[in-house]
Amino acid sequence: MRAVALGGGRGLHITLTALRRVTDDVTAVVTVADDGGSSGRLRRELGLLPPGDLRKAMVALAEDPQGRWATLFQHRFGGTGALAGHAIGNLVLAGLLEQLGDPVEVLAEAGRLLGVRGRVLPMCTEPLEIEAEVTGLDDDADVVRRIRGQVAVATTPGRVRRIRLHGPGGPGALPRGCPEAVEAVLNADVVLLGPGSWFTSVLPHLLVPELHDALVRTRARKVVVLNLVPQPGETAGFSPELHLDVLCEHAPELRVDAVIADTDAVPVPDRLRRAAAALGAAAHLAEVAVAGQPDRHDPAALALAIRRALDGLPDGPEDPSSTTLHNASETLGGEQTWR
């Protein structure tokens, strides 16, 4: 089964960790608008793609995510000097980008070093900028302000209403999708969106024209995985169904097959079912949070929920057997248990 997961940051890492329990053929399509931390510094200083989310996706798909090279990629320098805060993997990817130029080739090369099972691709081969329309920043709650930058959008105290993506040419410059990412979506058997920062990691994929068209046209079964809790700043006060309403507003032509949400995170299941139906999807409620940590997905439980959601959909690719899936869980994540 060819699976494609779109997102960024920790949310995409969780999805990939779950998906590799279901199939070995996984492609990650990663956002490239980060402008904070180590990634933001490298982006500003060198004009390169922000490498942080790409690095996290590669580690999630590494042959041994806890092995020496994967651990080294995640290690950050301490101290107060020029290297403070930089992840070693970010510097490796930045160096390869300067040497090779082509981000797809760079990720393939780094993937060989880490023993990546699957593929990691950027959604665009040039860095992008996020712009958001936000209300609630003035005394008049209806006044709309525009703010730019992923960090600014993710931490705004206002209410994000809509986002736009700008290419390297600035406002008005449309982003151009990575051709290999577009092809992966078109050829997939299943495509997953979410979880993750809704406005800065999930929705941006829908605003790249080529990726949007591929998501609309693909015959793959499309699954949305909802967040466990609202994200302070970006989606504070959002209900589970509001996440779907916002997705529909940004991509009204998109149709989805299944929506997965944690049972305890959905106070009114009927509302979620209606919002999912508006996208053409069935809502699947399951216990997918880590026990005692309601803001963290359990990768093994999420893998099982994905499998069950796919089993309930017609005319799809043949899924692996329960035994194969269970064995993969034990092999790839012995610390996780099926719930």
Side-chain angles (χ1 to χ4, degrees):
M1 183 171 64
R2 294 166 299 200
V4 175
L6 300 95
R10 188 175 68 174
L12 180 60
H13 186 281
I14 288 292
T15 304
L16 297 174
T17 306
L19 270 180
R20 62 182 291 169
R21 290 166 161 83
V22 180
T23 175
D24 285 333
D25 194 343
V26 180
T27 297
V29 178
V30 187
T31 53
V32 288
D34 192 1
D35 60 358
S38 170
S39 289
R41 289 163 59 191
L42 291 170
R43 174 178 175 168
R44 289 187 294 273
E45 293 171 13
L46 303 176
L48 302 173
L49 280 180
D53 287 349
L54 296 165
R55 180 196 83 245
K56 293 172 187 174
M58 297 193 71
V59 170
L61 292 178
E63 183 175 6
D64 182 2
Q66 304 302 320
R68 177 62 57 85
W69 277 109
T71 303
L72 183 64
F73 255 58
Q74 296 286 61
H75 176 76
R76 290 186 185 274
F77 289 104
T80 58
L83 290 177
H86 277 305
I88 289 179
N90 288 359
L91 299 178
V92 171
L93 292 176
L96 285 171
L97 280 166
E98 284 206 331
Q99 283 193 332
L100 303 177
D102 179 6
V104 175
E105 184 181 354
V106 164
L107 292 167
E109 187 67 31
R112 285 189 282 271
L113 179 67
L114 291 172
V116 165
R117 296 171 56 184
R119 197 177 190 191
V120 177
L121 297 168
M123 72 176 188
C124 299
T125 57
E126 297 176 299
L128 304 178
E129 182 179 55
I130 294 177
E131 178 182 271
E133 294 179 358
V134 180
T135 58
L137 298 177
D138 299 86
D139 292 337
D140 184 346
D142 294 327
V143 172
V144 177
R145 299 287 183 185
R146 290 187 178 183
I147 59 176
R148 290 184 185 172
Q150 183 174 21
V151 172
V153 174
T155 59
T156 179
R159 176 105 175 230
V160 180
R161 299 292 182 178
R162 178 171 288 275
I163 62 167
R164 296 181 178 85
L165 279 186
H166 301 309
L174 291 176
R176 292 179 295 180
C178 171
E180 290 83 356
V182 172
E183 182 180 7
V185 170
L186 288 173
N187 293 331
D189 297 311
V190 59
V191 174
L192 274 81
L193 275 168
S197 300
W198 212 244
F199 285 100
T200 55
S201 291
V202 179
L203 295 182
H205 293 85
L206 304 174
L207 303 182
V208 177
E210 295 90 348
L211 270 180
H212 173 275
D213 291 347
L215 285 166
V216 170
R217 290 168 47 208
T218 183
R219 298 183 63 183
R221 295 181 287 177
K222 285 163 277 191
V223 179
V224 172
V225 181
L226 290 179
N227 293 339
L228 297 170
V229 295
Q231 182 176 342
E234 190 166 322
T235 54
F238 272 42
S239 63
E241 55 270 17
L242 185 53
H243 286 75
L244 297 182
D245 293 342
V246 169
L247 188 151
C248 189
E249 289 173 4
H250 283 77
E253 297 180 12
L254 181 67
R255 288 293 171 265
V256 176
D257 297 288
V259 173
I260 295 174
D262 183 72
T263 303
D264 294 333
V266 182
V268 187
D270 284 345
R271 290 181 184 173
L272 179 64
R273 293 188 182 100
R274 287 195 295 269
L279 288 166
H284 296 263
L285 302 184
E287 293 182 359
V288 292
V290 174
Q293 299 184 59
D295 61 342
R296 275 192 62 197
H297 281 92
D298 179 334
L302 181 57
L304 183 58
I306 291 170
R307 164 66 191 275
R308 286 175 172 169
L310 294 177
D311 281 349
L313 296 175
D315 301 324
E318 182 179 353
D319 293 322
S321 70
S322 299
T323 301
T324 301
L325 190 60
H326 181 76
N327 291 340
S329 173
E330 292 181 340
T331 301
L332 296 170
E335 76 285 355
Q336 301 291 349
T337 57
W338 291 102
R339 297 168 55 201

